[in-house]
């Protein structure tokens, strides 16, 4: 008797079941408690953005979190500096979650905010953080590849666990990073995080593709768009949030002005 072959896992971004993405299952696995690695990432991003804006007067600015998913902390990292933050997200289920959180984000995100408020700029808005989040955040359904139509639009940006976690294709990984960075204005500070060595992942009952990347591939994807970015590898045993990856990579930098838009 021949056994039926298991269905082939999706390989490209367009093949993945994004509308079936379960944000609550994802949060239970990744963000129900503040992990050491997330606290470390948040501290690095907080300091990077604070250092950029401390002596500059162009704020508040427009910010974007590309592929926000069910993760609020990238938007929280940008909150003191922005008059508007676009949370761009493809999955309808995640869009619904983000819209709910925009109105009143859940208490589970307070421990993430506590890391941010160790910096005076975040502490300054602490009492009004929820109202400010509601007033500042705008949830936008959309695909990051469509950002090519809006070059140099945002003055600060984040992209966390997106380019390598949407497809098994290295070409789509590089294209995703390029679309993100082309959407930023020259000089804009950015933070991007990646799962290192990811082989794909389950969320609820669905499987999602991923692209195996390392620091060298992240550097190469950034090279055209950022001068001397900091690329940090976080791969201690405590940094493992799920099976199927080898650690995390955080890239911090500024959009250069050499690439034509």
């Amino acid at each position: 008797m021949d056994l039926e072959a298991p269905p082939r896992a999706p390989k490209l971004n367009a093949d993945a079941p994004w509308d079936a993405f379960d944000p609550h299952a994802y949060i239970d696995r990744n963000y129900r408690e503040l992990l050491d690695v997330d606290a470390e990432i948040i501290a690095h991003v907080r300091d990077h953005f604070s250092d950029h804006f401390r002596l500059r007067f162009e704020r508040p600015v427009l910010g974007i979190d590309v592929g926000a998913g069910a993760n609020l902390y990238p938007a929280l990292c940008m909150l003191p500096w922005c008059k508007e933050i676009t949370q761009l997200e493809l999955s309808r289920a995640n869009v619904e979650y983000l819209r709910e959180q925009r109105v009143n984000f859940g208490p589970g995100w307070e421990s993430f905010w506590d890391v941010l408020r160790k910096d005076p700029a975040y502490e300054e808005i602490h009492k009004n953080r929820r109202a400010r989040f509601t007033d500042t955040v705008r949830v936008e359904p959309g695909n990051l590849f469509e950002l090519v139509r809006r070059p140099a639009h945002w003055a600060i940006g984040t992209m966390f666990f997106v380019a390598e976690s949407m497809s098994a294709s290295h070409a789509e990984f590089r294209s995703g990073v390029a679309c993100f960075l082309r959407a930023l204005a020259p000089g804009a500070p950015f933070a991007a995080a990646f799962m290192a060595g990811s082989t794909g992942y389950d969320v609820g009952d669905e499987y999602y593709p991923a692209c195996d990347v390392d620091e060298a591939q992240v550097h190469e994807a950034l090279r055209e768009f950022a001068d001397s970015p900091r690329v940090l590898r976080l791969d201690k045993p405590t940094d493992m949030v799920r099976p199927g990856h080898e650690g995390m990579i955080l890239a911090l930098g500024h959009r250069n002005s050499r690439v034509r838009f």
Side-chain angles (χ1 to χ4, degrees):
M1 178 179 176
D2 293 334
L3 296 177
E4 183 179 351
R8 296 182 64 182
K11 297 296 183 182
L12 300 178
N13 179 63
D15 299 324
W18 296 114
D19 284 341
F21 196 97
D22 185 339
H24 301 287
Y26 185 79
I27 289 168
D28 282 341
R29 188 165 212 173
N30 296 281
Y31 300 126
R32 187 57 62 193
E33 297 179 357
L34 175 63
L35 302 177
D36 290 344
V37 65
D38 287 311
E40 186 175 0
I41 288 172
I42 291 168
H44 281 301
V45 176
R46 174 199 67 202
D47 294 348
H48 176 55
F49 289 160
S50 290
D51 288 346
H52 174 84
F53 284 104
R54 186 170 291 116
L55 299 177
R56 290 171 171 82
F57 299 98
E58 71 266 31
R59 58 179 165 124
V61 299
L62 298 178
I64 185 169
D65 181 27
V66 174
N71 182 4
L72 297 193
Y73 79 67
L76 291 171
C77 286
M78 292 187 282
L79 195 58
W81 320 114
C82 294
K83 59 185 175 183
E84 182 178 279
I85 299 170
T86 299
Q87 290 181 314
L88 185 73
E89 173 56 34
L90 180 61
S91 164
R92 282 184 291 186
N94 284 341
V95 166
E96 181 178 347
Y97 171 80
L98 291 170
R99 285 174 172 164
E100 292 171 353
Q101 295 298 300
R102 175 186 169 272
V103 175
N104 186 24
F105 64 80
W109 295 105
E110 291 293 350
S111 59
F112 296 79
W113 177 257
D114 286 342
V115 179
L116 290 168
R117 63 183 290 211
K118 293 177 181 178
D119 179 279
Y122 297 84
E123 176 62 24
E124 184 178 340
I125 66 170
H126 172 67
K127 290 183 179 180
N128 299 317
R129 65 197 180 282
R130 290 179 175 274
R132 184 157 180 154
F133 192 83
T134 300
D135 292 342
T136 304
V137 167
R138 182 172 65 89
V139 181
E140 180 179 324
N143 191 314
L144 86 162
F145 295 124
E146 297 169 355
L147 290 175
V148 295
R149 303 171 186 169
R150 299 157 81 179
H153 185 76
W154 289 275
I156 184 174
T158 54
M159 183 177 68
F160 277 53
F161 313 118
V162 177
E164 84 295 359
S165 297
M166 64 178 185
S167 168
S169 164
H170 282 86
E172 285 200 327
F173 161 73
R174 292 188 296 271
S175 179
V177 173
C179 287
F180 166 57
L181 291 172
R182 285 185 183 276
L184 301 182
F190 68 84
F194 310 89
M195 292 284 184
S198 184
T199 58
Y201 55 105
D202 295 311
V203 178
D205 297 328
E206 300 291 344
Y207 176 82
Y208 294 87
C211 184
D212 182 350
V213 299
D214 58 20
E215 302 99 301
Q217 289 163 313
V218 170
H219 266 293
E220 180 61 24
L222 296 173
R223 183 173 60 85
E224 185 180 4
F225 305 96
D227 299 328
S228 303
R230 293 175 60 206
V231 177
L232 310 174
R233 178 68 178 255
L234 310 173
D235 57 2
K236 300 184 296 296
T238 54
D239 294 340
M240 302 295 108
V241 298
R242 59 168 170 77
H245 77 291
E246 299 170 358
M248 296 187 187
I249 301 168
L250 177 64
L252 305 169
H254 294 83
R255 176 69 165 89
N256 65 28
S257 58
R258 295 195 308 275
V259 177
R260 289 183 298 173
F261 297 96

